[in-house]
């Protein structure tokens, strides 16, 4: 039941753009104008403004929480901020603009429903605009906002706004994944069109940024069409004194796609074992059905050999299953990726050995064209690779399901997370043998 | 008919349960930091939701400064017992005796000394992962934390070189001696915590609710008067933390908003004596900052607390 007083839905968004495009200032402005800044924070801002800002409050200091960030006036790592309006609750990831911190931008953006890409109205579209828009598209973020900032410095020129809009719309078709794209002319510093409509833009008929964030439709962002349940933890109370619990064998995990119902037939992959859902156990009592992204414990009709890393799926809309994978990766390590290297690959609840067999292509960030057969993929570059894993993965294309279509690569020894991987759709799906259910 | 839709608390809950189960599956020697405070109370319910009907597969760990509110200790011990969990308590006092921590001259507060005691416990039990109740909305630097926060063999956090944390794929790999701090409540706000306590009907120590208490004024805060010291054979553990004759002394209607120990917890004047009242107090405090209800009485207390609790 919706509460009347409290926000009932969370929107997660990130802000990205080049250095000095005003990302942190924009978040500061959102917090400030939505009255989400606490008194002591305000006092601290005013104090620092008196000393360094010539009386002007520096809203960026609200999110740049590391000493090194304040010293250099840049954002190094993602800062998360939280605010709420009567309509929604927001989790904001303020992500860095510097090319060298792109991996932190990916961290903040990977869980976002919406990405705000800032463009400096004076600079127009630059490499970082293209890179960030590309990464947002690659990560499958459904909603995009292009905030054309510092409009006050181009005299609120409608022509300039359209020039930038045209330049971005010229390359958007190459990305073609966003559910919606909004262009908003703003001044983060002065607050125009951030929370309150600007009197400088009579020619702009769209919503303010906050109004858009409050109203953009996000209910369908989870995949509810194909049941996917990566087994996370086998729940065995093993309590000989309690008759009910003695034989309890539950499979705990977070539903990564679709809906599950009591009585539903399922496959366990990769083994191919079949069973039926006997009970959906939760702490609050058994339920008849559950859906993505709920965390539940499934009890099956049969006592099967199932462990962490296995995937339980519905008998319709089956996933792919292979050890030879084709994926797009964003590389995050100073040591470039070359073919033949071995890693640990974490996909869902499973970690397996993997070898990168070949580098197929690399994206040219200026043209968005693919350059075939690169010798290496360097830090912050994006490419397509072939990977072979020691065990087959049960997966979907990333475009279909962000949770079952994603993986990370971990370098053995240093244990560094070196790549974000997005699987391309499987070339063939698991072939089930339905007849066994007749037994 | 279901709408297949999670509200914000359900979303935060499923995210936190997933993280708890990752900890259980990926680490061998894990612990849950349980102080009896409101955040760790939520952690316990999330652990129940993550692991029942099995036992919670990790002991609870708490570091005592020796200056705790007795109400909190009683509550902590009772909850651990109710849940059938093993509770490990390590104290600053013991650490002095073992020589892993040393009293700071001129410093009564033992807040800082909790750090070596915690690291000592991690070493003693060879914990590779500790779950904590810290939240990103508490503080600026905390806003930069990952869910899985890697610590080197000295227990240090390197904020400029954190592992990328992408989707819900947490890299839990460690080399010997290293450990992980995991914060399932990272995305929760103070309001979320109280709304969750309300929804789950969780018991909290009674010092969160308004009560009459002798307080004294020090450093711009109302500090609680420590319990009387009757054992003349031993040194007074609260030596230095008792009101001096020059300090203002009053019997007030107060509650705590955040709990450290008796020496470092400022009491706020408040009439909030139910979870609903506390939620209203926090919400009203926000409105006051918006400048629309400056006359609201409840908000004054909530606002004062924020000023007092400097690190917030």
């Amino acid at each position: 039941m919706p509460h009347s007083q409290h926000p009932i839905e969370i929107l997660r968004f990130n802000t990205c753009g080049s250095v000095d495009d005003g990302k942190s200032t924009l978040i500061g402005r959102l917090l400030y104008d939505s009255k989400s800044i606490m008194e002591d924070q305000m006092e601290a801002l005013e104090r620092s403004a008196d000393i360094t800002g010539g009386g002007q409050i520096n809203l960026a200091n609200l999110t740049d929480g590391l000493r090194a960030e304040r010293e250099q006036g840049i954002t190094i790592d993602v800062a998360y901020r939280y605010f709420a309006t009567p309509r929604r609750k927001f989790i904001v990831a303020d992500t860095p603009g510097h090319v060298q911190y792109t991996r932190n931008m990916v961290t903040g953006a990977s869980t976002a429903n919406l990405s705000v890409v800032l463009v400096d109205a004076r600079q127009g579209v630059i490499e970082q605009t293209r890179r960030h828009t590309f990464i947002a598209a690659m990560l499958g973020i459904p909603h995009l906002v292009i905030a054309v900032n510092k409009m006050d410095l181009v005299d609120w020129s409608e022509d300039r706004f359209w020039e930038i809009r045209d330049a971005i719309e010229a390359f958007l078709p190459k990305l073609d994944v966003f559910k919606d794209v909004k262009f908003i002319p703003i001044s983060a510093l002065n607050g125009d069109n951030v929370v309150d409509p600007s009197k400088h833009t009579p020619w702009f008929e769209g919503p303010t940024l906050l109004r858009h964030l409050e109203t953009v439709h996000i209910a369908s962002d989870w995949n509810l069409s194909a049941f996917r349940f990566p087994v996370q933890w086998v729940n065995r109370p093993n309590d000989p004194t309690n008759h009910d619990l003695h034989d309890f064998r539950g499979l705990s995990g977070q539903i990564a796609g679709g809906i599950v119902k009591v009585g539903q037939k399922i496959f366990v992959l990769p083994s191919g074992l079949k069973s039926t859902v006997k009970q959906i156990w939760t702490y609050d009592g058994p339920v008849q059905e559950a859906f993505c992204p709920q965390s539940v414990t499934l009890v099956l009709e049969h006592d099967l050999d199932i462990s962490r890393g296995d995937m339980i799926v519905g008998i319709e809309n089956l996933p792919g299953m292979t050890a030879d994978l084709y994926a797009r990766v964003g590389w995050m390590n100073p040591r470039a990726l070359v073919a033949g290297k071995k890693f640990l690959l974490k996909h869902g609840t499973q970690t397996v050995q993997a070898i990168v067999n070949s580098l197929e292509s690399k994206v040219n960030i200026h043209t968005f064209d693919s350059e075939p057969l690169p010798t290496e993929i360097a830090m912050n570059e994006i490419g397509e690779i072939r990977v072979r894993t020691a065990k087959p993965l049960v997966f979907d294309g990333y475009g279909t399901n962000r949770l079952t279509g994603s993986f990370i690569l971990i370098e053995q020894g240093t244990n560094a997370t070196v790549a974000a991987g997005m699987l391309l759709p499987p070339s063939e799906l698991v072939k089930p043998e339905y007849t066994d259910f007749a037994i | 008919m279901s709408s297949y839709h999670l509200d914000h608390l359900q979303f935060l809950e499923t995210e936190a349960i997933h993280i708890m189960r990752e900890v259980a599956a990926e680490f061998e020697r894990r612990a849950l930091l349980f102080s009896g405070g409101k955040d760790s109370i939520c952690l316990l319910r999330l652990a129940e939701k993550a692991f029942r009907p099995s036992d919670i597969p990790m002991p609870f760990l708490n570091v005592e400064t020796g200056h705790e509110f007795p109400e909190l200790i009683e509550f902590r011990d009772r909850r651990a017992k109710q849940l059938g969990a093993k509770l490990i308590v390590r104290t600053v006092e013991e650490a002095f005796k073992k020589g892993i921590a040393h009293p700071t001259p001129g410093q009564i507060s033992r807040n800082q000394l909790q750090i070596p005691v915690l690291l000592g416990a991690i070493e003693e039990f060879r914990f590779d992962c500790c779950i904590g109740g810290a939240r990103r909305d508490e503080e600026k630097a905390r806003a930069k934390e990952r869910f899985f926060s890697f610590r080197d063999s000295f227990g240090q956090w390197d904020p400029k070189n954190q592992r990328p944390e992408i989707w819900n794929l947490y890299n839990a790999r460690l080399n010997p001696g290293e450990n992980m701090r995991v914060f399932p409540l990272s995305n929760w706000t103070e309001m979320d915590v109280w709304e969750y306590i309300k929804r789950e009907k969780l018991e909290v120590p009674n010092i969160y609710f308004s009560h009459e208490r002798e307080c004294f004024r020090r450093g711009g805060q109302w500090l609680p008067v420590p319990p009387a010291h009757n054992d003349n054979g031993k040194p007074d553990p609260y030596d230095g933390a008792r009101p001096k004759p020059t300090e203002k002394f009053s019997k007030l209607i107060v509650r705590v908003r955040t709990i450290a120990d008796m020496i470092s917890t400022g009491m706020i004047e408040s009439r909030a004596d139910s979870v609903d009242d506390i939620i209203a107090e926090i919400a009203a405090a926000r409105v006051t900052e918006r400048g629309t209800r400056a006359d609201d009485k409840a908000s004054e207390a909530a606002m004062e607390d924020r000023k007092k609790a400097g690190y917030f």
Side-chain angles (χ1 to χ4, degrees):
Chain A
M1 280 292 112
H3 303 240
S4 53
Q5 276 172 299
H6 300 300
I8 54 163
E9 202 173 33
I10 290 182
L11 176 90
R12 306 179 63 140
F13 71 96
N14 77 305
T15 53
C16 47
S18 189
V19 187
D20 289 335
D21 280 353
K23 295 172 302 296
S24 301
T25 308
L26 175 63
I27 293 178
R29 176 57 68 184
L30 273 171
L31 297 171
Y32 186 76
D33 285 358
S34 64
K35 320 284 190 269
S36 311
I37 296 178
M38 299 294 170
E39 267 225 342
D40 49 339
Q41 295 172 309
M42 202 57 223
E43 282 174 1
L45 276 184
E46 279 163 0
R47 269 198 306 278
S48 67
D50 287 338
I51 300 162
T52 58
Q56 176 84 292
I57 289 172
N58 185 355
L59 291 170
N61 278 346
L62 274 176
T63 54
D64 288 338
L66 301 176
R67 194 175 297 111
E69 293 178 322
R70 288 192 294 275
E71 279 167 10
Q72 299 174 52
I74 60 166
T75 306
I76 292 172
D77 208 335
V78 193
Y80 295 91
R81 300 288 317 197
Y82 304 82
F83 71 102
T85 69
R87 287 163 182 264
R88 260 185 192 159
K89 211 177 138 64
F90 299 95
I91 300 178
V92 194
D94 180 20
T95 51
H98 269 91
V99 170
Q100 73 182 110
Y101 303 122
T102 301
R103 61 182 183 178
N104 295 334
M105 184 234 156
V106 173
T107 290
S110 67
T111 50
N113 307 89
L114 180 146
S115 229
V116 178
V117 175
L118 274 103
V119 179
D120 185 329
R122 296 166 303 171
Q123 311 264 339
V125 175
I126 58 172
E127 180 180 324
Q128 282 299 76
T129 315
R130 305 172 69 89
R131 185 189 302 274
H132 291 151
T133 308
F134 186 87
I135 290 172
M138 175 181 84
L139 289 170
I141 297 171
H143 313 280
L144 180 70
V145 171
I146 305 285
V148 182
N149 191 23
K150 307 195 183 184
M151 284 297 293
D152 50 321
L153 301 181
V154 295
D155 297 324
W156 296 99
S157 159
E158 184 181 3
D159 288 346
R160 183 59 182 152
F161 176 73
W162 276 100
E163 219 170 84
I164 291 167
R165 180 170 176 157
D166 288 345
I168 290 170
E169 283 185 332
F171 67 72
L172 277 181
K174 288 193 181 184
L175 304 175
D176 194 34
V177 293
F178 299 109
K179 283 184 186 166
D180 55 78
V181 181
K182 269 265 179 313
F183 292 82
I184 305 177
I186 65 167
S187 164
L189 192 63
N190 302 318
D192 296 82
N193 288 335
V194 177
V195 171
D196 303 313
S198 170
K199 57 178 186 294
H200 301 290
T201 52
W203 42 267
F204 177 68
E205 290 177 349
T208 65
L209 177 61
L210 183 65
R211 176 46 59 96
H212 181 61
L213 296 173
E214 283 181 319
T215 53
V216 61
H217 181 72
I218 56 168
S220 58
D221 288 356
W222 294 101
N223 182 322
L224 291 174
S225 57
F227 177 56
R228 301 285 184 264
F229 188 78
V231 176
Q232 198 181 4
W233 190 71
V234 179
N235 198 326
R236 296 214 65 173
N238 240 337
D239 182 352
T241 61
N242 184 329
H243 183 74
D244 289 340
L245 293 184
H246 188 245
D247 293 324
F248 185 93
R249 185 184 159 86
L251 304 162
S252 296
Q254 184 174 28
I255 299 171
I259 297 159
V260 62
K261 294 178 179 173
V262 172
Q264 177 180 337
K265 293 180 169 65
I266 55 92
F267 285 113
V268 183
L269 297 173
S271 68
L273 297 168
K274 302 166 189 72
S275 190
T276 306
V277 176
K278 183 176 167 187
Q279 190 186 31
I280 304 171
W281 197 96
T282 79
Y283 178 82
D284 302 299
V287 293
Q288 284 305 303
E289 62 175 353
F291 57 94
C292 175
Q294 287 182 316
S295 287
V296 295
T297 296
L298 301 183
V299 180
L300 303 181
E301 284 292 348
H302 309 87
D303 199 4
L304 305 173
D305 174 11
I306 302 173
S307 54
R308 175 173 166 89
D310 287 338
M311 178 96 81
I312 297 176
V313 303
I315 59 170
E316 280 156 17
N317 294 318
L318 288 162
M321 184 169 79
T322 173
D324 290 296
L325 303 156
Y326 198 91
R328 182 176 268 177
V329 291
W331 191 251
M332 307 178 146
N333 199 261
R335 276 188 299 283
L337 172 65
V338 293
K341 278 205 78 170
K342 284 182 183 162
F343 299 95
L344 292 171
L345 183 153
K346 184 168 184 182
H347 168 258
T349 56
Q350 159 159 280
T351 304
V352 294
Q353 301 266 355
I355 180 165
V356 174
N357 278 333
S358 62
L359 310 184
E360 296 293 319
S361 64
K362 183 158 102 176
V363 174
N364 179 322
I365 209 71
H366 302 283
T367 60
F368 293 157
D369 291 331
S370 281
E371 296 168 0
L373 304 174
T375 53
E376 61 168 43
I377 296 173
M379 176 132 123
N380 300 319
E381 291 187 327
I382 292 150
E384 293 190 346
I385 62 171
R386 286 187 188 280
V387 188
R388 185 170 173 82
T389 49
K391 269 180 73 181
L393 297 193
V394 177
F395 71 100
D396 297 284
Y398 184 80
T400 312
N401 189 322
R402 273 162 94 171
L403 297 177
T404 55
S406 56
F407 64 84
I408 56 172
L409 292 179
I410 300 166
E411 185 176 65
Q412 299 190 59
T414 65
N415 292 327
T417 304
V418 292
M422 287 137 282
L423 293 158
L424 273 68
S427 51
E428 58 178 333
L429 303 179
V430 173
K431 289 193 186 65
E433 295 149 50
Y434 288 99
T435 49
D436 289 19
F437 278 114
I439 299 168
Chain B
M1 204 188 86
S2 285
S3 63
Y4 305 122
H5 172 271
L6 298 183
D7 72 17
H8 73 282
L9 287 181
Q10 292 168 325
F11 174 81
L12 292 170
E13 180 185 69
T14 185
E15 178 180 71
I17 291 172
H18 174 258
I19 287 163
M20 290 245 172
R21 288 172 174 164
E22 280 301 281
V23 169
E26 292 263 13
F27 296 95
E28 282 170 15
R29 303 180 67 87
R30 57 255 157 174
L32 190 152
L33 303 177
F34 178 54
S35 64
K38 66 183 192 314
D39 301 315
S40 57
I41 287 168
C42 290
L43 282 184
L44 291 199
R45 173 49 51 90
L46 292 163
E48 289 183 278
K49 293 207 175 191
F51 303 121
R52 292 296 187 218
S54 292
D55 292 336
I56 297 170
M58 57 193 87
F60 300 167
L61 173 63
N62 186 221
V63 172
E64 279 184 11
T65 63
H67 297 148
E68 275 70 22
F69 285 90
E71 296 93 332
L72 201 68
I73 299 288
E74 181 276 323
F75 177 84
R76 179 197 70 190
D77 294 352
R78 183 160 51 83
R79 277 305 281 157
K81 208 168 190 178
Q82 282 168 354
L83 294 175
K86 183 183 170 195
L87 173 67
I88 299 167
V89 176
R90 286 294 173 266
T91 66
V92 170
E93 208 61 52
E94 284 170 7
F96 286 163
K97 283 181 193 143
K98 285 187 194 163
I100 55 174
H102 307 282
T104 321
Q107 175 75 267
I108 318 163
S109 167
R110 291 173 171 179
N111 254 21
Q112 286 295 316
L113 295 170
Q114 289 177 299
I115 298 168
V117 182
L118 175 62
L119 295 179
I122 288 172
E123 215 161 281
E124 179 185 350
F125 295 96
R126 291 182 291 119
F127 289 129
D128 50 8
C129 179
C130 293
I131 295 178
R135 310 188 321 267
R136 285 172 179 155
D137 86 322
E138 286 177 73
E139 204 265 333
K140 256 181 173 186
R142 276 284 305 130
K144 300 269 170 181
E145 274 274 20
R146 302 282 193 257
F147 281 102
F148 279 54
S149 182
F150 173 80
R151 303 300 158 103
D152 66 16
S153 52
F154 296 96
Q156 299 182 101
W157 179 51
D158 180 3
K160 280 185 76 173
N161 194 25
Q162 301 195 77
R163 290 178 180 175
E165 198 163 85
I166 311 151
W167 303 295
N168 62 352
L169 296 171
Y170 304 105
N171 175 354
R173 315 283 305 182
L174 296 173
N175 286 319
E178 300 168 343
N179 68 90
M180 201 72 83
R181 306 284 166 80
V182 174
F183 304 110
L185 305 183
S186 288
N187 279 333
W188 297 44
T189 63
E190 182 188 19
M191 184 61 111
D192 297 328
V193 165
W194 282 108
E195 287 183 337
Y196 195 68
I197 286 168
K198 178 183 173 176
R199 182 177 290 186
E200 294 292 320
K201 301 184 177 67
L202 299 175
E203 186 191 344
V204 298
N206 51 21
I207 50 176
Y208 278 112
F209 301 115
S210 74
H211 56 281
E212 195 177 59
R213 185 182 283 269
E214 289 188 329
C215 299
F216 67 101
R217 197 79 183 159
R218 180 180 290 177
Q221 299 191 61
W222 283 112
L223 295 176
V225 174
H229 180 60
N230 298 321
D231 184 353
N232 291 325
K234 287 182 184 167
D236 179 3
Y238 290 97
D239 189 30
R242 296 187 183 283
K244 296 171 196 154
T246 53
E247 283 170 326
K248 201 173 148 197
F249 181 95
S250 237
K251 209 168 223 181
L252 299 171
I253 305 293
V254 291
R255 67 178 200 89
V256 295
R257 185 161 172 190
T258 64
I259 307 180
D261 62 11
M262 289 192 90
I263 287 181
S264 10
T265 303
M267 311 296 294
I268 61 171
E269 289 186 76
S270 166
R271 298 254 166 203
D273 59 6
S274 68
V275 172
D276 280 329
D277 285 353
I278 291 173
I279 289 173
E281 190 177 278
I282 298 169
R286 209 174 276 164
V287 172
T288 296
E289 272 123 38
R290 295 175 179 197
T292 54
R293 265 202 223 165
D295 56 340
D296 195 295
K297 237 185 169 179
S299 66
E300 275 185 42
M303 186 157 58
E304 195 176 323
D305 175 67
R306 253 191 313 280
K307 287 183 189 172
K308 284 174 191 164
Y311 50 88
F312 263 69

